[in-house]
Amino acid sequence: MSRIYIEDLHRHVGEEVTIRGWLYHKRSSGKIRFLVVRDGTGLLQCVMVKANVTEEVFALSDALTQESSLAVTGMVKKDDRAPGGVEMEITSLSVIQIAKEYPISPKEHGVDFLMDHRHLWLRSSRQHAILRVRHQIISAIREFFDNRGFILMDAPIFTPAACEGTSTLFETEYFDMGKAYLTQSGQLYGEAGAFALGKTYVFGPTFRAEKSKTRRHLTEFWMVEPEVAFNDLKDNMELAEDFLEHIVASVLKHRMPELKALERNTKFLENVKAPLPKISYTEAVDLLKAKGVNVAWGDDFGGADETVISENFDRPVIVHHYPTKIKAFYMKRDAENPETVLAMDVLAPEGYGEIIGGSQREDDLDALVQRIQEHQLPQSAFEWYIDLRRYGSVPHAGFGLGVERTVAWICGLDHVRETIPFPRMIYRLTP
RNA sequence: UCCACAGUAGCUCAAUGGUAGAGCAUCCGGCUGUUAACCGGAGGGUUGCAGGUUCGAGUCCCGCCUGUGGAGCCA
């Protein structure tokens, strides 16, 4: 016998079925009880009328507490009075466990309390909606690259050295070999992959020990990083805009009920179609100056600056050709203007900030070694990476997309802490 | 790390320097269509910790702890 889930109940109207799940909420009125049951796929209002069940079953419903596990059996009926339009008329009920007093009530709670109870908070409908959208985004990411012949290439999490700034590494003892570090990015390994397999993507968790305490930061977050041999900056930007279009279209196609539950205005999401608007860093600085922001050419943009830039567009905007000195060592300098690199960031609209950062990579051996020295990085740790420029180096490019910021943007959340099941932040390691 | 704000019942919050309270949750009772149901009743407190001022401190002062929002840094 196949198991029936709440999300499929509209196909079982008129049948007697059994649903196993948890009590989400209960309302009682003398001789009639309304049990709202959840099973992970949705919520179902179950109506228990005293005359229709045995005394034992009716008494059992009195003992049910919020989140008690149970199985309900009854007739599935269409009823406009029920949330979801379908309800169950209970004929039988069995209790699996009576839950202890559940800490999360239907009333409001503070952020810290909810984060302390994250393992239970995940059961609420808002968190359901977010995690389903996250799932859809991850699914769309893999679908996009898989359909284009990219090979998933996992990068290591223990690494011998930094690829971004050195001050933001989590370190750990690695037997008698000294320190190992948790990866900040799989990109360098992705480059090795691109030279082996042509087009690859790295997808996994990354770690930054930045003491950032903002709505956009986690210490552990997921990143997907495509890397393509023979791609230049233009190819890279085109890949990024096709990629974003695909992700957003997939969520709009499959997760509208969740976006509605999150009260997400999808107007801007529907605009996410390639090609996206593109401006150079220099144009972005001029734009900021015209808006009265005090910036100079060569400054990196802060979160507020990114918001001002993105407010000029009704869809994500690509900013390219950043100053060399504010970007990573592996980015290729523009031959026409070595003060800039062939970098590009994608800024999400509505103030959600940078969701993609990428570049064409430095493929020249001498230039790369020089950049490593300029950044005072330990060259020995990068010998394998430099090797890629010794043996058949070619132009190549890639980018990284932060999954949590993308989820926050698409869901319209005001903080990334709700975009991942168990967020890791500067002051939170549990649950 | 820096700046600002906060910490009172299980939760969300009140309380002019003068008897610590409400709603929800819990428990008891009532109600045959509820939608965060409603109505009546009950229990529930070392006011974050440690000092100080005062006749008297949840309230004022000092230090610490924890958290929230933001900055810098970044995806």
Side-chain angles (χ1 to χ4, degrees):
Chain A
M1 174 188 156
S2 64
R3 193 170 298 176
I4 294 170
Y5 287 97
I6 289 170
E7 64 182 353
D8 300 320
L9 273 187
H10 58 276
R11 291 201 293 267
H12 296 273
V13 172
E15 298 172 28
E16 181 170 82
V17 303
T18 296
I19 295 290
R20 281 179 283 187
W22 299 263
L23 185 71
Y24 195 69
H25 198 55
K26 179 174 76 171
R27 292 179 287 272
S28 74
S29 179
K31 298 184 177 63
I32 186 166
R33 303 278 151 81
F34 298 90
L35 310 180
V36 179
V37 174
R38 60 170 195 91
D39 72 348
T41 73
L43 297 175
L44 174 66
Q45 173 163 287
C46 304
V47 186
M48 178 184 285
V49 177
K50 190 172 187 186
N52 295 352
V53 295
T54 65
E55 295 233 349
E56 290 75 21
V57 164
F58 197 74
L60 258 186
S61 73
D62 273 339
L64 288 175
T65 53
Q66 190 184 355
E67 288 300 318
S68 288
S69 45
L70 46 77
V72 283
T73 302
M75 189 69 76
V76 181
K77 300 175 67 174
K78 265 195 153 51
D79 195 316
D80 291 338
R81 291 172 294 185
V86 174
E87 68 178 21
M88 172 188 279
E89 200 164 273
I90 296 180
T91 54
S92 174
L93 164 74
S94 65
V95 173
I96 299 164
Q97 193 223 6
I98 296 291
K100 307 244 185 258
E101 187 178 337
Y102 192 66
I104 301 178
S105 70
K107 282 273 187 173
E108 288 180 38
H109 297 284
V111 171
D112 189 40
F113 177 82
L114 288 171
M115 291 305 302
D116 281 342
H117 296 83
R118 182 64 175 167
H119 50 297
L120 303 178
W121 189 21
L122 295 175
R123 302 181 184 191
S124 71
S125 26
R126 174 184 164 84
Q127 301 307 313
H128 269 210
I130 295 168
L131 292 179
R132 283 165 175 268
V133 172
R134 177 186 171 97
H135 165 83
Q136 192 67 41
I137 288 169
I138 290 171
S139 175
I141 286 169
R142 303 215 27 175
E143 182 179 65
F144 177 85
F145 290 121
D146 294 351
N147 287 348
R148 289 179 174 227
F150 284 63
I151 301 298
L152 173 66
M153 206 198 73
D154 301 314
I157 288 172
F158 285 130
T159 60
C163 31
E164 306 281 342
T166 48
S167 62
T168 60
L169 284 164
F170 284 106
E171 61 176 47
T172 183
E173 294 296 326
Y174 198 80
F175 302 109
D176 56 355
M177 296 171 71
K179 300 254 189 263
Y181 306 92
L182 298 187
T183 185
Q184 299 167 300
S185 161
Q187 182 209 309
L188 304 188
Y189 297 95
E191 290 183 50
F195 282 18
L197 297 156
K199 31 186 186 178
T200 56
Y201 66 106
V202 176
F203 196 1
T206 51
F207 307 85
R208 307 260 170 112
E210 294 158 5
K211 296 198 169 171
S212 301
K213 195 178 169 305
T214 81
R215 65 184 67 195
R216 300 186 310 280
H217 285 85
L218 299 170
T219 55
E220 175 180 330
F221 65 98
W222 283 67
M223 194 152 65
V224 57
E225 300 174 283
E227 193 72 33
V228 183
F230 303 104
N231 264 15
D232 61 15
L233 177 64
K234 181 169 173 290
D235 299 324
N236 205 32
M237 293 194 283
E238 287 172 0
L239 183 67
E241 59 197 8
D242 287 349
F243 180 49
L244 285 178
E245 176 180 324
H246 178 81
I247 291 171
V248 172
S250 175
V251 174
L252 289 175
K253 183 177 176 187
H254 298 286
R255 298 296 171 188
M256 265 325 248
E258 284 80 3
L259 293 178
K260 278 209 172 65
L262 295 165
E263 299 177 322
R264 177 61 162 134
N265 182 342
T266 56
K267 188 181 72 177
F268 284 174
L269 296 178
E270 281 153 16
N271 291 337
V272 182
K273 301 258 198 286
L276 295 174
K278 299 175 187 69
I279 61 172
S280 70
Y281 167 87
T282 303
E283 288 167 330
V285 169
D286 291 343
L287 179 68
L288 287 171
K289 282 178 175 167
K291 295 273 173 186
V293 180
N294 182 24
V295 287
W297 198 98
D299 293 346
D300 206 355
F301 298 139
D305 302 328
E306 290 177 348
T307 300
V308 172
I309 295 167
S310 68
E311 275 170 356
N312 284 272
F313 301 92
D314 62 356
R315 61 202 71 196
V317 55
I318 300 181
V319 181
H320 53 84
H321 284 88
Y322 280 81
T324 305
K325 63 180 181 183
I326 60 170
K327 286 293 181 183
F329 74 94
Y330 50 73
M331 295 188 178
K332 187 172 182 65
R333 271 180 278 199
D334 184 3
E336 292 173 13
N337 179 7
E339 293 298 305
T340 64
V341 282
L342 301 174
M344 60 106 187
D345 285 357
V346 180
L347 306 183
E350 304 163 81
Y352 280 95
E354 185 183 346
I355 50 172
I356 282 180
S359 70
Q360 187 173 333
R361 317 307 188 187
E362 182 52 74
D363 50 85
D364 180 77
L365 175 62
D366 295 336
L368 181 66
V369 169
Q370 187 199 336
R371 295 279 278 147
I372 287 173
Q373 287 166 355
E374 281 170 12
H375 279 74
Q376 299 180 327
L377 295 167
Q379 189 174 327
S380 60
F382 290 98
E383 277 304 324
W384 68 269
Y385 181 68
I386 297 167
D387 255 0
L388 301 175
R389 279 72 181 169
R390 293 189 178 108
Y391 304 106
S393 187
V394 298
H396 60 294
F399 60 81
L401 171 126
V403 170
E404 287 72 22
R405 284 189 187 177
T406 304
V407 176
W409 161 52
I410 290 178
C411 289
L413 308 180
D414 60 10
H415 201 298
V416 291
R417 65 186 157 219
E418 288 181 71
T419 64
I420 186 168
F422 294 97
R424 293 290 173 256
M425 295 176 289
I426 176 169
Y427 295 128
R428 178 162 299 276
L429 189 56
T430 55

